[in-house]
Amino acid sequence: MMRLGLLFIALTLSGTAYARAPYGWLPSQALPAPSLAERIAPPPGFERIAAPEGSFAAWLRGLPMRPEGAKVMTYTGAPKWRQDVHVAVVNIDIGKRDLQQCADAIMRLRAEWLYSQNRDKEIAFNDTDGKRRRFSSSRSSDHAGFRKYMDLVFAYAGTYSLERELKPVKPEQMAIGDVFIKGGFPGHAVLVADMVENRATGEKRFLLLQSYMPAQDIHVLKNPKSADGTPWYSTEIGDQLVTPEWVFLRSGLRRWP
């Protein structure tokens, strides 16, 4: 009995007893799903930029996807009125309330990654009034408790607060995990979910994820300026980044501090 107790203490100290699944919202019996990286190949002549194991970038590339051809659904269970803006849908829950919209979806993904790495103390967001809401203050640290915390964040935070939390970065210095954002009521935000590079020319391209209003499935955006239908955007965006449902200024690119 004593040996079992000592073993439990050792496992706890090593973190083994509290190992978390990388995508904690999925049921344990869920069948393997294609990842974002498996679903969307780089354009001809491009290859994915290196991403360290365990990084936010690597985690985003591993996001599980819904079956090919899946519709974007809203929190009500009805299809989004536009089905012409996406190329793929992330397999992640929306919730049953009109909460997980654009900035909320981005905060959800960032927090899910931190949660999967047991970095609970780093899961914190400012609300619109500037109050810091920390997951470590929640009563429950299981995933159900985490989801309740995120719904609270969604209710009190948004593009206005998130824009002020993030740090400006130039498009030429873009990295996976950066955010294009326009804070406001309404505002909008999209997440840089992947990047590729043409080693011969040095050109870089990126993928974008978004949710929108009303709360809806997180999805990979099409590039409305793409002549060949590819969803990849060039980092050479000029003064504006044109997406299917919003136009961002190049000065709207932000990074997590």
Side-chain angles (χ1 to χ4, degrees), residues 229-244:
T230 176
W232 295 93
Y233 291 74
S234 174
T235 55
E236 300 172 6
I237 62 173
D239 294 330
Q240 295 181 327
L241 173 68
V242 179
T243 72

Side-chain angles (χ1 to χ4, degrees), residues 23 36-37 42 47-63 106 109-110 113 166 169-180 190-197 199 204-209 232-233 235 253-257:
Y23 306 101
L36 183 149
E47 57 185 78
R48 284 187 156 90
I49 294 172
E53 184 177 354
S55 65
F56 190 33
W59 186 89
L60 287 171
R61 282 179 176 162
L63 281 170
I106 291 170
L109 293 175
R110 179 73 176 184
W113 168 64
L166 305 178
V169 62
K170 295 180 180 180
E172 295 79 13
Q173 300 169 329
M174 185 187 299
I176 301 170
D178 288 349
V179 178
F180 279 97
V190 294
L191 177 71
V192 178
D194 202 355
M195 292 187 69
V196 293
E197 183 177 12
R199 297 298 172 84
K204 295 181 180 179
R205 296 184 185 180
F206 59 95
L207 288 178
L208 291 174
L209 289 178
W232 295 93
Y233 291 74
T235 55
L253 187 62
R254 298 287 190 273
R255 180 167 295 168
W256 302 93

Side-chain angles (χ1 to χ4, degrees), residues 23-56:
Y23 306 101
W25 62 88
L26 294 176
S28 57
Q29 71 275 17
L31 296 174
S35 67
L36 183 149
E38 291 170 332
R39 174 64 59 78
I40 303 176
F46 288 77
E47 57 185 78
R48 284 187 156 90
I49 294 172
E53 184 177 354
S55 65
F56 190 33

Side-chain angles (χ1 to χ4, degrees), residues 113-131:
W113 168 64
L114 291 171
Y115 182 84
S116 73
Q117 301 223 333
N118 291 287
R119 293 162 63 175
D120 294 10
K121 292 183 179 180
E122 297 177 51
I123 302 174
F125 302 96
N126 294 339
D127 64 22
T128 300
D129 295 328
K131 179 179 179 180

